Structures are given as C-alpha cells and as structure tokens.
Amino acid sequence: MSDRMKKQAAQNREAARQLRKRGKDDEAQRLEDRAAELESGRVTDVTDTVSGLISWAFRR
C-alpha cells in the first residue's frame, strides 16, 4: 500500500469520526468502508501511471 493510500485511509477514518459526532452514521460508515478497502490492498494506486500517460500525450 502506498503512502498516498495510507494517508487517504487515515483521513477517511478521521472524517468518519467527525461525522459520527454530528450524527451522520450512514456517511461515516461509507467513509470507513472506503478506508477498509484502501487498507486491504484491493485498491490499486495508479496515480503515477495516469500522470505519466497524460504527460506522454501532451508531449506528442
């Protein structure tokens, strides 16, 4: 898991805690589920690949 994904998972968990304090349990659960997906390794970080493809396309 990349640092970007770890950071995003931590941010999602913090946002979920804040939403729970406000009584928005459904939205908090959605963010916690997303954080779990990021931490599980089922999600692939392709940011660098996409960025490289865009750069390549603009050079042509």
Side-chain angles (χ1 to χ4, degrees), residues 26-44:
D26 291 338
E27 292 177 42
Q29 186 60 47
R30 184 181 57 79
L31 286 175
E32 291 207 358
D33 291 345
R34 180 63 179 156
E37 285 178 12
L38 290 169
E39 293 171 341
S40 73
R42 292 179 297 195
V43 177
T44 304

Side-chain angles (χ1 to χ4, degrees), residues 1 9 12-13 19-20 26 28 31 34 36 38-40 43 45-46 48 52-53 55:
M1 174 160 57
N12 283 359
R13 293 212 186 275
L19 287 171
R20 285 198 195 287
D26 291 338
L31 286 175
R34 180 63 179 156
L38 290 169
E39 293 171 341
S40 73
V43 177
D45 184 7
V46 295
D48 295 332
L53 287 172
S55 295

Side-chain angles (χ1 to χ4, degrees), residues 10-22:
Q11 288 174 344
N12 283 359
R13 293 212 186 275
E14 179 57 32
R17 278 191 285 279
Q18 296 300 320
L19 287 171
R20 285 198 195 287
K21 287 180 184 177
R22 297 179 191 148

